């Protein structure tokens, strides 16, 4: 599950770090670190974190990547 | 807040060519990057049903760069696991691992390195920037001399750090260099930072804030050397880097050198095309439409992200080129919208610039264009505590703000910038500590002295204040 956090939006509420600590961690007082390619087993927790983010800064896959994207085929 | 103006929808009086473009046109995106991907998603979301071709010089699908200098260097994520999430299906033809080598504007086609030619009706250029290499080629090729920009760079550097080098040398203390130094210290590696300016981050944030960054580095055990240049890198008999010689006569023994001297815009492939592209980027209007070399705006070529250079109404219509994540996303969406819209429905890029960095456990975020500022006041917190807001003033108005571990306040300051609020701010603020409200010189370096660092390049044709900021071409 691919993840990107819009850190312009992120305001360090740390809801994600509480709900999905395997994926998100606070680094110091405010900075956020996250696993950009989280394990499938964390899907439910990730969904909770996405929903709980007060500024909706967590971006996750909405679709599967078509095979062409990774193969480089024409 | 993001831009909110929406023009009224007008009845379409055109000849139907736009409807045809949306139904069966050909759109080519050069740059399979954050900007390229978000543009492609926007095109599909807005009903573009024609053919979409994504061209990328790297063999990888679009990936996210910020983790490369943070999670990846700390060993918490693999560089090969930063692919960007897909917000919707883009149904594109992907040409990855093949750079674009030329543009024929009259024939409307892009030439590729493998000899192919890809025709387009609309073209988006999102080729970004690349790390500026160490200028002496023989020294740059020494084993252990690296840059950090792409995914492969991130993987290579993470491997070097994991191997436990005896000392790392970072050349250049801009944001990337400082983040690398931070990751090294967190991993317990001895690190020396050599910076030509008076302090880290000085090009982007000025000397007042740069002094805080310098203190943070030293408190975390970085051997920070400011006001020096690296004059030569020296290798051993087997071609591995072993030492660096500095302009103050000193020598640093090191086995990993990371060159963090800023970036060069990827516009060489456009040479001779007639597009208004050069070392400073591709000149565009506020709707991301590229200019040709005659200063006439094209109607079929757009640019977005690091490579674009657009006039910003909030900043005196100066042409800004920004190496910011949010800028890439927002320009990509605007360019994609505009290229399939009637002229009355096009939207300008008016987002207030914003960026972030995290280093030495401190979250650094900024809005506006601090480097335009001449004065700074610490409106909240205190410099000593590494928790503060610095507000930048320019000709009596608020032009930018930076937060060290105070990010939640930034939307407030963004509003001041958007409403051209007076500087210094006249109101009292909460959490105001020792530094008070008195503005002081923000202490930016003399723009005529070359530096590597600013992430914002300001130049061009401002009616009020025409100013040149030095941007090294190499």
């Amino acid at each position: 599950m691919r993840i990107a956090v819009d850190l312009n939006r992120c305001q360090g509420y740390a809801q994600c770090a509480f709900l999905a600590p395997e994926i998100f961690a606070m680094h110091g007082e405010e900075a956020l670190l996250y696993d950009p390619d989280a394990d499938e087993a964390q899907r439910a927790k990730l969904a909770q974190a996405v929903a709980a983010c007060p500024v909706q800064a967590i971006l996750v896959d909405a679709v599967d990547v078509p095979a062409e994207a990774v193969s480089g085929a024409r | 807040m993001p831009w909110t103006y929406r023009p009224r929808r007008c009845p379409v009086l055109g000849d139907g060519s736009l409807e045809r473009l949306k139904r069966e046109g050909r759109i080519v995106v050069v740059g399979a990057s954050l900007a390229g991907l978000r543009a492609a998603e926007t095109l599909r979301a807005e009903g573009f049903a024609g053919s979409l071709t994504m061209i990328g010089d790297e063999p990888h699908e679009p990936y996210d760069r910020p983790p490369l200098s943070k999670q990846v260097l700390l060993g918490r994520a693999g560089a090969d696991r930063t692919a960007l999430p897909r917000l919707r299906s883009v149904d594109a033809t992907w040409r990855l691992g093949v750079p674009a080598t030329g543009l024929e504007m009259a024939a409307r086609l892009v030439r590729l390195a493998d000899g192919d030619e890809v025709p387009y009706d609309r073209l988006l250029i999102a080729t970004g920037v690349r790390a500026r290499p160490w200028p002496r080629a023989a020294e740059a090729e020494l084993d252990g001399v690296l840059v950090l920009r792409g995914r492969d760079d991130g993987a290579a550097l993470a491997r070097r750090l994991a191997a436990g080098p005896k000392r790392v040398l970072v050349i250049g203390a801009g944001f990337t260099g400082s983040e690398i130094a931070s990751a090294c210290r967190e991993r317990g590696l001895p690190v020396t930072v050599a910076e030509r300016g008076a302090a880290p981050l000085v090009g982007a944030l000025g000397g007042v804030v740069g002094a805080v960054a310098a203190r943070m580095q030293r408190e975390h055990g970085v051997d920070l050397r400011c006001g020096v240049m690296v004059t030569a890198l020296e290798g051993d008999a087997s071609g591995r880097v072993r030492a660096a010689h500095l302009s103050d006569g000193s020598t640093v023994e090191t086995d990993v050198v990371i060159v963090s001297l800023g970036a060069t815009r990827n516009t060489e492939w456009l040479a001779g095309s007639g597009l208004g592209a050069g070392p400073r980027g591709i000149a565009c209007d506020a709707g991301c439409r590229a200019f040709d070399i005659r200063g006439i705006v094209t109607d079929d070529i757009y640019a977005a992200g690091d490579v674009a250079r657009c006039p910003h109404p909030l900043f005196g219509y100066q042409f800004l080129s920004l190496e910011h994540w949010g800028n890439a996303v927002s320009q990509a969406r605007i360019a994609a919208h505009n290229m399939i819209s009637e002229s009355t429905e096009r939207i300008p890029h008016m987002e207030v610039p914003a960026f972030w960095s995290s280093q030495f456990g401190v979250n650094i975020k900024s809005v506006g264009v601090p480097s335009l500022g001449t004065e700074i006041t610490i409106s909240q917190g205190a410099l000593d505590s590494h928790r503060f807001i610095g507000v930048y003033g320019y000709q009596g108005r608020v032009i930018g703000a930076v937060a060290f571990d105070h990010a939640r306040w930034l939307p407030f300051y963004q509003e001041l910038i958007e409403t051209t609020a007076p500087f210094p701010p006249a109101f009292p603020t909460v959490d105001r500590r020792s530094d008070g409200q008195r503005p002081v010189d923000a202490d930016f370096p003399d723009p005529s002295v070359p530096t590597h660092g600013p992430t914002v390049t300001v130049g061009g044709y401002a009616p009020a204040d025409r100013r040149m900021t030095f941007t090294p071409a190499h």
Side-chain angles (χ1 to χ4, degrees):
Chain A
M1 295 179 296
R2 286 158 309 182
I3 300 167
V5 178
D6 182 342
L7 291 172
N8 281 331
R9 284 176 168 236
C10 174
Q11 297 194 1
Y13 286 99
Q15 296 297 309
C16 55
F18 288 124
L19 289 164
E22 296 84 357
I23 303 174
F24 302 97
M26 300 311 292
H27 196 62
E29 298 279 317
E30 271 195 14
L32 179 69
L33 288 183
Y34 59 93
D35 181 351
D37 190 9
D39 195 88
E40 190 61 33
Q42 305 297 328
R43 182 177 285 276
K45 285 185 175 179
L46 175 60
Q48 282 189 315
V50 169
C53 176
V55 290
Q56 295 293 289
I58 304 169
L59 308 172
V60 296
D61 278 317
V63 292
D64 288 332
V65 183
E68 59 189 345
V70 285
S71 70
R74 294 175 59 180
Chain B
M1 286 302 291
W3 177 84
T4 52
Y5 163 78
R6 292 258 178 251
R8 264 178 310 207
R9 192 170 183 90
C10 304
V12 177
L13 302 174
D15 55 3
S17 59
L18 186 62
E19 286 312 310
R20 238 185 350 265
L21 172 76
K22 286 180 79 166
R23 201 170 54 241
E24 58 200 36
R26 300 160 300 181
I27 296 184
V28 172
V29 177
V30 183
S33 55
L34 172 65
L37 177 62
R38 293 297 178 249
E41 289 168 345
T42 302
L43 287 168
R44 292 304 190 201
E46 297 200 4
F48 174 66
S51 83
L52 185 55
T53 305
M54 307 287 294
I55 296 164
D57 61 338
E58 291 179 89
H60 315 302
E61 63 174 305
Y63 58 85
D64 209 19
R65 290 183 201 280
L68 295 177
S69 58
K70 304 174 185 75
Q71 289 95 312
V72 170
L73 296 191
L74 292 172
R76 299 193 186 187
D80 58 343
R81 291 164 61 91
T82 63
L84 280 162
R86 299 297 177 86
L87 306 182
R88 59 163 294 127
S89 167
V90 296
D91 186 23
T93 300
W94 294 79
R95 304 292 306 270
L96 299 177
V98 51
T101 54
L103 167 66
E104 296 268 5
M105 287 172 64
R108 289 188 170 175
L109 56 86
V110 173
R111 278 198 299 274
L112 302 187
D114 63 6
D116 261 6
E117 292 176 339
V118 186
Y120 63 83
D121 300 305
R122 294 281 186 278
L123 171 67
L124 177 66
I125 301 173
T127 43
V129 303
R130 64 182 182 278
R132 185 173 292 130
W134 185 244
R136 302 180 187 201
E139 294 175 10
E141 279 164 24
L142 289 170
D143 184 35
V145 177
L146 311 170
V147 295
L148 177 56
R149 176 73 199 170
R151 189 181 117 171
D152 297 342
D153 299 331
L157 180 54
R159 267 198 309 277
R160 298 275 180 172
L161 299 188
K166 63 176 194 266
R167 176 166 293 274
V168 175
L169 172 66
V170 179
I171 306 177
F175 284 104
T176 303
S178 297
E179 288 179 9
I180 294 166
S182 172
C184 288
R185 289 308 301 144
E186 200 159 329
R187 300 186 72 136
L189 299 171
V191 57
T192 297
V193 173
E195 163 59 43
R196 181 177 193 157
L201 314 184
V202 73
L205 298 174
V208 173
V209 176
V212 179
R215 208 162 53 231
M216 273 166 40
Q217 295 212 1
R218 292 194 169 112
E219 282 171 6
H220 284 83
V222 175
D223 170 30
L224 172 65
R225 321 242 186 126
C226 295
V228 296
M229 287 184 289
V230 173
T231 53
L233 301 175
E234 185 187 323
D236 63 16
S238 60
R240 281 191 296 255
V241 69
R242 60 166 295 276
H245 300 282
L246 308 188
S247 57
D248 61 2
S250 62
T251 299
V252 176
E253 299 216 355
T254 176
D255 38 2
V256 175
V257 174
I258 303 136
V259 180
S260 300
L261 296 176
T264 304
R265 290 175 167 77
N266 292 320
T267 54
E268 290 85 348
W269 68 283
L270 296 165
S273 68
L275 201 67
R280 288 162 158 261
I282 300 169
C284 305
D285 73 4
C288 300
R289 291 187 297 177
F291 288 119
D292 69 17
I293 54 172
R294 304 168 301 171
I296 296 177
V297 76
T298 61
D299 210 29
D300 50 358
I301 304 176
Y302 290 71
D306 299 358
V307 79
R309 194 169 155 254
C310 299
H312 199 306
L314 263 184
F315 302 96
Y317 290 96
Q318 298 219 43
F319 279 70
L320 298 179
S321 57
L322 302 162
E323 295 170 36
H324 298 168
W325 193 93
N327 184 68
V329 171
S330 123
Q331 284 187 334
R333 289 183 173 147
I334 284 164
H337 169 88
N338 288 349
M339 66 169 63
I340 54 169
S341 294
E342 297 284 358
S343 61
T344 50
E345 290 176 4
R346 290 186 185 136
I347 53 179
H349 176 62
M350 298 241 313
E351 290 233 332
V352 175
F355 69 84
W356 72 77
S357 170
S358 64
Q359 45 189 274
F360 305 102
V362 172
N363 188 30
I364 301 174
K365 289 177 77 170
S366 156
V367 292
V369 186
S371 60
L372 268 181
T374 51
E375 294 175 284
I376 187 172
T377 179
I378 305 306
S379 63
Q380 292 176 254
L383 291 172
D384 290 345
S385 67
H386 306 170
R387 287 177 58 88
F388 63 89
I389 295 260
V391 181
Y392 293 83
Y394 173 70
Q395 295 185 345
R397 63 167 283 207
V398 176
I399 201 91
V402 65
F404 275 47
D405 271 353
H406 253 52
R408 231 167 278 177
W409 285 102
L410 277 184
F412 170 77
Y413 292 94
Q414 181 171 328
E415 198 177 316
L416 297 186
I417 296 163
E418 286 172 324
T419 53
T420 63
F423 179 91
F427 47 80
T429 47
V430 298
D431 186 29
R432 188 194 333 171
R433 283 179 254 159
S434 53
D435 300 294
Q437 298 280 285
R438 194 174 54 84
V440 297
D441 187 334
D443 190 23
F444 280 98
D446 179 346
S448 66
V449 176
T451 68
H452 62 80
T455 54
V456 178
T457 302
V458 181
Y461 307 93
D465 179 19
R466 200 175 280 189
R467 191 176 82 158
M468 296 290 284
T469 302
F470 186 88
T471 307
H474 300 293

